[in-house]
Amino acid sequence: MTTTLTRHTGRRTERPAEQKPQKPQTAERQTQKAHTPPARREADGMAIASFVLGLVGLLVFNVVLGPLALVLATLALARGTTRRGRAALGLTLGAADLIVLAALATTDHTLSWSL
C-alpha cells in the first residue's frame, strides 16, 4: 500500500501499490515460447539443421549433405517455420553443394576434393 497526500484536502489516502509492468519483449517471448506448437518447433530445428548441413556440405560429404539440406529446408518451409531466412539459406547452400559436386565430377572425374 502506498500513501498519498492530496493537495486540496490535505487528507492522506491509501491505495494499492502499482506493480511494475513487464517489458513487452520479455512477456512476448515467454508467451511465444509457451504457445509455440511442437510442429513449429520441429520446423525451426529443421531450418537450423538444413543451414548447418548445407554449410558443412560445402567442405565434406556434399554427396549426402547437399540433398539432406535441401529436403530439411523444404520440410521446414512447408511446416511454417518462424526461421524462414535460415531455411532459405539451407536451400541455397544445399543447391550450392550439388553445384560443387557437379563441378568436381566434371573437372576431376571424382566425387571428392583433391589438393
Side-chain angles (χ1 to χ4, degrees), residues 12-97:
R12 292 182 182 222
T13 59
E14 292 187 13
R15 60 185 172 128
E18 294 180 20
Q19 295 178 352
K20 292 182 181 179
Q22 290 183 343
K23 293 181 181 178
Q25 285 183 337
T26 307
E28 287 175 11
R29 286 183 186 167
Q30 289 173 351
T31 305
Q32 185 179 13
K33 286 181 182 178
H35 298 294
T36 304
R40 180 151 300 169
R41 275 187 249 135
E42 288 176 10
D44 290 347
M46 285 185 207
I48 293 169
S50 71
F51 171 72
V52 170
L53 291 175
L55 195 58
V56 172
L58 286 174
L59 302 174
V60 293
F61 298 124
N62 52 1
V63 175
V64 176
L65 297 181
L68 192 58
L70 287 171
V71 169
L72 285 176
T74 304
L75 285 173
L77 289 171
R79 292 184 181 183
T81 182
T82 57
R83 299 177 184 258
R84 296 185 63 80
R86 290 269 164 86
L89 282 173
L91 273 174
T92 305
L93 289 170
D97 290 348

